[in-house]
Amino acid sequence: MPAPCTPSQTVGPFFSIGLDHLNRANLAEGSVGERFAIRGRVLDGDGEPVPDAIVEIWHADAAGHYHHPEHVSPPSEATSFLGFGRIPTDERGQFSFTTIKPGPVHGPDGKPQAPHLQISIFMRGLLKRLMTRIYFPDEPLNASDPVLQVVPELRRDTLIARPTKQDENTLEWNVCLQGERETVFFDC
Amino acid sequence: MKPLLGYRKPAPGTQPSYLYPPYVSSIKRAPKQPLISIPVTLSEITGPTFLKEIASPTAFDLTRQHKGEPLGERIAVSGRVVDEDGRPVQNTLIEIWQANAAGRYLHKNDQHNAPLDPNFTGEGRTSTDDDGRYRFITVRPGAYPWKNHYNAWRPQHIHFSLFGPAFATRLVTQMYFPGDPLLEFDPIFHSVPDEAARRRLISSFDWLSTQPDLSLGFRFDIVLRGRNATPMER
Ligand SMILES: [Fe+3]
């Protein structure tokens, strides 16, 4: 009889004592690839900013390779790209980070997935983490991405970062926990 | 190409739902739409693997991070991290954080009128060994009040954060203490519907890791999601 998985519990309001050590808002350092920034806000069911969330990021390098033993394709460029970031939101519910654009990772059927970032979100009030993804605008592979395909068309744009007026390498991606524009969250 | 093995979904009732109204903060923060189930891809079965150096050799001992010793009952918390098939989860990072013995966090938002301890920060890190074992030295955290409902008190607890081998295995949880009378009234503990699953959040007093004239031992074993036996059919 296998032991079932330990239940999740909320991070509560005071996670920054224990989790600050791994805060990392610049994932791009020391690696090759097209640099870009993502900024956004986390909003609750009243549209109020969430000042006590943490956003964690996991993604592949510019060649679509994950720094992980189960990704057996030969690592490209031999960069030191680790692919992990962690950022708390500020008093206005805002977060921002800099990284490189990941290359396409192959999907379950061997066809490429569109470039994407894996996102975990934690906060007081969340009894378990939320999982989602950030995709890129104007990316031809979005049309055939195996994960975007299972998302109802009307909600897909909640997963796609938007260009900003600031500059072409700064994108905006907001998290709405509830409401008309509720972000799509995944179960995997 | 080798088929990808995903991770098993938790058994029904063993994990909290996002919405649990007795935990008031969940009401405006739980998503209202159902989660969308996605196919297994490399992105979910890979995840950050940290260098051992992140957990410096002294970061496991929360009683030695300052000039003096913190106040409170010194305890050792140890256990094993395994997956649902009983396999050890090796070399995985564990981060913990907690209140001091008086029930106060070293955090700007903690308004509880209890003293801070200049010799206690309340955070620690370590990584599991080849057998999945870990150990922390700390002091027993105090219970503390919160604003969820009238006369609300959190039972004594230590927050745990683990990565495991994959994005899919990430877990943040809380460890409680055996016999704590506040558990009965705590909505966060009770957000887990299944009673047996809930009980796995409670550590046990451990005579074997109790050291004479030094510290009481508590054992807290953690189980992360196990692997699917066969590739998911699509
Ligand atoms: Fe707490």
Side-chain angles (χ1 to χ4, degrees), chain A residues 14-21, chain B residues 58-59 61-71 96-108 110 115-125 137-139 141 157-159:
Chain A
F14 306 127
F15 62 80
S16 65
I17 296 178
L19 299 181
D20 263 15
H21 197 81
Chain B
T58 52
D61 188 343
L62 287 71
T63 69
R64 301 247 178 269
Q65 296 172 347
H66 298 272
K67 272 208 182 99
E69 285 235 26
L71 292 169
I96 64 167
W97 65 103
Q98 62 167 94
N100 68 21
R104 176 83 186 264
Y105 283 91
L106 182 60
H107 190 284
K108 61 182 190 328
D110 189 351
L116 285 171
D117 183 339
N119 290 315
F120 193 70
T121 303
E123 54 100 18
R125 288 173 303 286
I137 311 289
T138 183
V139 293
H157 61 276
I158 299 176
H159 296 267

Side-chain angles (χ1 to χ4, degrees), chain A residues 1-22 43-46 49-53 56-58 64 66-71 82-84 86 105-110 113 116 118-120 122-133 146-147 150-152 155 177-179 182-188, chain B residues 1 7-9 14-18 20 23 25-50 54 84-85 93 95-98 105-107 109-110 121-123 125 144 159 161 163 165 167-174 176 188-189 191-192 197-198 200-201 220-225 227 234:
Chain A
M1 179 70 189
C5 182
T6 302
S8 170
Q9 297 271 271
T10 180
V11 291
F14 306 127
F15 62 80
S16 65
I17 296 178
L19 299 181
D20 263 15
H21 197 81
L22 254 62
L43 303 167
D44 73 10
D46 290 331
V50 173
D52 54 3
E56 283 185 355
I57 304 136
W58 167 243
Y66 281 109
H67 185 88
H68 187 274
E70 280 194 57
H71 197 165
L82 287 176
F84 176 77
R86 176 188 280 169
V105 173
H106 63 83
D109 49 6
Q113 302 185 57
H116 64 276
Q118 297 283 104
I119 303 293
S120 296
F122 302 86
M123 67 187 80
R124 172 179 66 84
L126 271 190
L127 288 157
K128 51 188 177 183
R129 66 140 167 193
L130 289 168
M131 285 181 271
T132 185
R133 286 182 171 203
V147 169
V150 299
V151 176
R155 300 186 66 204
L177 296 166
Q178 298 176 356
E182 183 176 317
T183 303
V184 168
F185 300 108
F186 295 125
D187 187 14
C188 73
Chain B
M1 202 180 66
Y7 283 84
R8 297 205 287 274
K9 308 245 176 189
T14 62
Q15 295 291 331
S17 303
Y18 289 104
Y20 185 66
Y23 177 31
S25 312
S26 76
I27 296 171
K28 293 289 182 195
R29 293 183 167 191
K32 293 204 166 162
Q33 304 279 343
L35 300 184
I36 293 183
S37 246
I38 59 172
V40 180
T41 82
L42 258 181
S43 306
E44 288 76 33
I45 64 169
T46 57
T49 47
F50 294 101
I54 284 177
E84 290 171 303
D85 299 307
L93 181 70
E95 300 166 281
I96 64 167
W97 65 103
Q98 62 167 94
Y105 283 91
L106 182 60
H107 190 284
N109 293 347
D110 189 351
T121 303
E123 54 100 18
R125 288 173 303 286
Y144 60 84
H159 296 267
S161 163
F163 286 87
F167 181 78
T169 55
R170 184 89 176 82
L171 176 73
V172 172
T173 188
Q174 300 183 26
Y176 300 99
I188 294 179
F189 177 66
S191 68
V192 180
R198 227 162 35 228
R200 289 195 294 275
L201 295 174
F220 184 53
D221 293 328
I222 297 164
V223 182
L224 301 182
R225 290 170 69 182
R227 230 47 208 266
R234 287 224 46 219

